[in-house]
Amino acid sequence: MPPEEVVWFVDWLERRSVVYQCNGGWAVDALVGRETRPHRDLDVFLDEVALDDALAVLRERGYAVVDDWLPVRIELAAGDRRIDLHPMQILPGGDGVQALLDGGELVHRAADRTTGSIGGRAVVVASAARLLQLREGYEPREVDVHDVALLRRLEG
């Protein structure tokens, strides 16, 4: 997933005042301030009311759905570009509530959002502490080990 595509999508979200946060590897690199590894996709948690419009603009750009696990997530791809959307219900205080596959919910607190930089563009991301929490409970892949090492240095 090229950084220019991340910037394009963040620009689209912000022009519409959509509450969002980037997660995953791009969020780690945004906190570091540079691309530290190749990224398969962009993980974006966004206000569920913007989901239909986001899907429409991505389809116009050539994306097609490759995985649909809504209401939890939906992944779209166009060549080497992939965007994984995770809709959140935004509560009055700004916290986002994401549905989980097991029927539960995951709260993404507004207080855990911060900014980083991708391609020189400020983007909203989860904090290093939150990104570490989101990497718990599953067998880490090589990219997760890389990301966790960076996040621990940022927290350190």
Side-chain angles (χ1 to χ4, degrees):
M1 179 70 173
E4 300 80 21
E5 193 72 359
V6 175
V7 169
W8 168 81
F9 192 59
V10 166
D11 283 344
W12 184 88
L13 290 166
E14 291 193 0
R15 281 194 309 273
R16 284 150 188 81
S17 300
V18 174
V19 175
Y20 78 94
Q21 71 186 44
C22 296
N23 284 357
W26 270 118
V28 174
D29 279 1
L31 290 173
V32 171
R34 64 181 172 80
E35 191 172 352
T36 66
R37 65 171 177 84
H39 297 278
R40 178 184 170 272
D41 64 359
L42 169 66
D43 292 291
V44 179
F45 292 35
L46 77 161
D47 186 342
E48 66 186 7
V49 302
L51 181 62
D52 288 342
D53 288 344
L55 292 172
V57 76
L58 289 169
R59 286 184 178 115
E60 288 171 12
R61 197 163 171 90
Y63 284 82
V65 174
V66 292
D67 279 316
D68 184 346
W69 295 357
L70 287 174
V72 177
R73 62 179 281 273
I74 186 166
E75 185 173 17
L76 298 96
D80 67 344
R81 301 170 293 158
R82 293 175 96 80
I83 297 182
D84 194 357
L85 301 175
H86 300 256
M88 301 183 293
Q89 175 191 13
I90 304 300
L91 302 177
D95 293 348
V97 180
Q98 177 193 1
L100 296 176
L101 287 173
D102 65 6
E105 296 177 335
L106 185 59
V107 176
H108 301 284
R109 297 177 332 127
D112 290 330
R113 292 186 198 114
T114 189
T115 56
S117 177
I118 297 174
R121 165 65 156 95
V123 297
V124 177
V125 297
S127 68
R130 181 64 175 147
L131 289 170
L132 280 168
Q133 289 173 345
L134 292 171
R135 282 166 174 75
E136 295 173 355
Y138 65 91
E139 188 66 32
R141 303 163 296 165
E142 187 176 323
V143 294
D144 297 314
V145 171
H146 170 88
D147 291 351
V148 165
L150 291 172
L151 290 168
R152 287 195 176 128
R153 274 187 242 143
L154 289 171
E155 278 203 308

